[in-house]
Amino acid sequence: MSEVAAKAVKEDTTLKKGMSFWQIWAFGVGSVVGDGLFIYLGQGVQTGGPVAILAVAFAGFMQMAIMLAMGELAVGMPSAGAMTFWCSKYLNRFCGLFAGMTFSVSWIVFGGSTSIALGTIMAYWAPIGGQAFATLFWAVIWWSVFAVLNIAGVSIASNVQLFLVVVLVGIMAVFGIAGVVHGLNMDNFTPFAPFGFKGFANTIPIACFAFMGAATICTCGNECRDPRDLGKSLFWASLTFIIVYCLAMVVVIGAVNWQDQSLDVSLFTLAAKTLWGPVGGTILNIAAWIAAATCLISGSLYTPSRVFFGMAEVGYMPKVFAKVNSRTRTPVRGLVIIWACGMILILAGAKWGASLVYTTLVNQGVVAWTLGWILAIIAGIKYRRELRAQGVKDIKAHIGWKQPLYPVTPIIALASSVYLLYLCLNGVVAIVGMCIWLAAFCLYYWRIKTKVKAGELSEDVYF
């Protein structure tokens, strides 16, 4: 085979570099705002009262620090494997596989819970066969539609994502500004912290779940046109959701009594109906639908398929995940497997209760992500030290992007992650749940070690 022909074959079987800054930004924002704020945050407001506004802001800046702490790695070592690659290189194989698997599997789990949330929103408009059946029906339909969208190609998926996110951010910005202009019921803000500091602290993990998705940007490394856009997008996506949603939370609390919040209906929809009637409620329900949809497109389907792709290329996942369709340039088989897992989770939510499955899985997902991020942040610190040891004085000139306020940013990121773990592991159920999936991961790692000893995998392979 000639060199030109070999290059053509290689290009047809690898991911396509075509994502611009705005498409990457939309992946981050869409994953961040997801379903968490529109549905799950209702429980957060009930948990903390009006002080949930501060909890949302606090969680937003916590997550921003964590995202920025991984920025230099994302730009300097762009890879679909992301955390898996970085932690394997600067820590060890166990840490790398742990970071990659927890991030990816959690996103798949969230695919089931987010689809349930989207089904709940759709049932508000079209309660086919009753609320319960309609929730399941629409969850299955839209999960499948977005899987097909991802299979069709990253350009198609990212352009749809960008359009939806622009509409979403526009709706929420107008909602916040118009709500303040309309006037708020200040009595709803008192007492501001009815459950004291405990209520504030217990709301933080809920808000963090809503904001954690920006890390999906890190997995765009193999498909971005310019790696520098990864670092820029991590910053601007984080700043976008902090400003837009903190403003929107003020309007929500000012429009609706916090004791009326629940998981059944979006609190933003209730607030819009209170301020502007049924039309306002419908518009915000559209925003809630978009938020859940964008979370599925870029988070639950795109992200795990790319991380698994990177892992499968070197043998740490079944090779089926590394198969790229020559026409769409996407890992079609991997996406189909992820779709099937999501379907199982949707059906589990329908059988055992969406709210129970939703809240339980969300807590475990936050724990898993946070543990993986602690490892990635430590890897980022080691990467910076390596660059310094190599005599690199101007980090920005060398890799194209520089983490702001180093070393303050990674210190805040680590402290925030440890505090978040403390808040999440606050009961026997949470601890037992963590032990179960940790045991499952250890079995997986033991299998990988067995392959390495048998010579089936290289001891020196990094992602």
Side-chain angles (χ1 to χ4, degrees):
M1 182 182 291
S2 68
E3 184 178 343
V4 174
K7 182 178 180 181
V9 171
K10 177 65 175 176
E11 288 179 347
D12 283 344
T13 56
T14 57
L15 302 176
K16 180 181 179 181
K17 291 184 177 294
M19 297 183 71
S20 67
F21 164 80
W22 287 109
Q23 290 169 320
I24 298 170
W25 168 83
F27 265 46
V29 175
S31 298
V32 164
V33 300
D35 63 302
L37 276 164
F38 281 92
I39 300 294
Y40 193 48
L41 202 57
Q43 180 177 335
V45 175
Q46 285 189 327
T47 300
V51 77
I53 297 170
L54 295 184
V56 168
F58 185 76
F61 284 107
M62 284 174 58
Q63 293 306 304
M64 187 178 201
I66 294 172
M67 298 305 109
L68 294 178
M70 295 189 287
E72 287 177 358
L73 283 168
V75 175
M77 304 172 68
S79 168
M83 301 86 174
T84 317
F85 178 92
W86 311 330
C87 294
S88 292
K89 180 174 176 62
Y90 291 105
L91 300 174
N92 54 51
R93 177 182 283 106
F94 181 91
C95 293
L97 293 175
F98 181 86
M101 288 296 288
T102 53
F103 188 59
S104 303
V105 173
S106 294
W107 261 125
I108 296 173
V109 170
F110 292 154
S113 61
T114 304
S115 294
I116 292 171
L118 190 148
T120 302
I121 296 168
M122 285 297 301
Y124 174 84
W125 288 317
I128 302 172
Q131 180 75 21
F133 178 81
T135 297
L136 174 61
F137 174 80
W138 290 116
V140 168
I141 291 295
W142 286 110
W143 172 248
S144 301
V145 168
F146 297 137
V148 172
L149 190 65
N150 267 272
I151 288 172
V154 69
S155 295
I156 296 173
S158 58
N159 283 329
V160 171
Q161 179 85 353
L162 177 58
F163 171 76
L164 291 175
V165 167
V166 169
V167 173
L168 173 61
V169 172
I171 290 175
M172 297 313 299
V174 171
F175 170 77
I177 296 172
V180 172
V181 173
H182 182 278
L184 306 174
N185 184 355
M186 302 309 295
D187 291 337
N188 289 348
F189 293 91
T190 55
F192 189 67
F195 305 108
F197 181 78
K198 183 178 181 180
F200 168 79
N202 289 339
T203 305
I204 292 174
I206 299 172
C208 282
F209 161 67
F211 291 152
M212 293 177 95
T216 58
I217 288 171
C218 297
T219 63
C220 297
N222 280 33
E223 294 165 290
C224 64
R225 296 173 187 168
D226 185 347
R228 292 175 296 181
D229 289 336
L230 299 174
K232 297 174 184 177
S233 298
L234 284 168
F235 173 79
W236 287 107
S238 299
L239 189 62
T240 299
F241 71 70
I242 290 173
I243 293 174
V244 172
Y245 279 89
C246 284
L247 176 60
M249 279 297 297
V250 172
V251 175
V252 166
I253 299 296
V256 181
N257 190 304
W258 62 270
Q259 298 180 63
D260 295 334
Q261 313 304 329
S262 71
L263 279 173
D264 296 326
V265 180
S266 164
L267 58 89
F268 291 90
T269 300
L270 289 175
K273 288 179 67 176
T274 300
L275 293 173
W276 300 292
V279 174
T282 298
I283 293 175
L284 263 292
N285 221 32
I286 291 173
W289 182 91
I290 294 175
T294 55
C295 195
L296 293 176
I297 294 171
S298 60
S300 298
L301 288 159
Y302 175 88
T303 297
S305 70
R306 268 45 177 191
V307 175
F308 288 162
F309 167 85
M311 296 174 72
E313 278 197 311
V314 290
Y316 289 93
M317 287 289 286
K319 286 296 183 182
V320 65
F321 287 100
K323 299 291 184 181
V324 175
N325 183 280
S326 61
R327 185 171 62 85
T328 65
R329 304 279 291 277
T330 56
V332 174
R333 297 179 186 178
L335 282 163
V336 170
I337 294 173
I338 291 168
W339 169 83
C341 292
M343 290 293 291
I344 293 172
L345 290 165
I346 291 170
L347 295 175
K351 180 175 177 58
W352 289 294
S355 295
L356 174 62
V357 173
Y358 193 22
T359 54
T360 301
L361 294 182
V362 161
N363 179 269
Q364 289 301 310
V366 172
V367 171
W369 274 2
T370 305
L371 287 171
W373 285 347
I374 289 174
L375 298 175
I377 293 166
I378 295 173
I381 294 172
K382 289 195 169 188
Y383 176 57
R384 169 66 81 101
R385 289 180 177 177
E386 179 184 72
L387 292 176
R388 291 301 190 194
Q390 293 173 353
V392 177
K393 295 182 179 181
D394 190 337
I395 301 295
K396 185 175 182 179
H398 184 73
I399 66 173
W401 187 84
K402 182 180 180 180
Q403 180 183 156
L405 302 177
Y406 186 89
V408 175
T409 298
I411 291 174
I412 294 175
L414 284 173
S416 299
S417 299
V418 172
Y419 182 56
L420 185 56
L421 279 179
Y422 167 75
L423 295 175
C424 289
L425 297 174
N426 58 0
V428 175
V429 174
I431 295 174
V432 170
M434 181 184 70
C435 291
I436 291 173
W437 59 259
L438 278 175
F441 172 78
C442 287
L443 288 174
Y444 161 76
Y445 183 70
W446 171 80
R447 176 58 180 162
I448 295 298
K449 289 285 289 185
T450 301
K451 287 187 174 183
V452 172
K453 290 181 179 179
E456 298 176 31
L457 296 176
S458 172
E459 183 71 34
D460 299 324
V461 168
Y462 290 120
F463 304 98

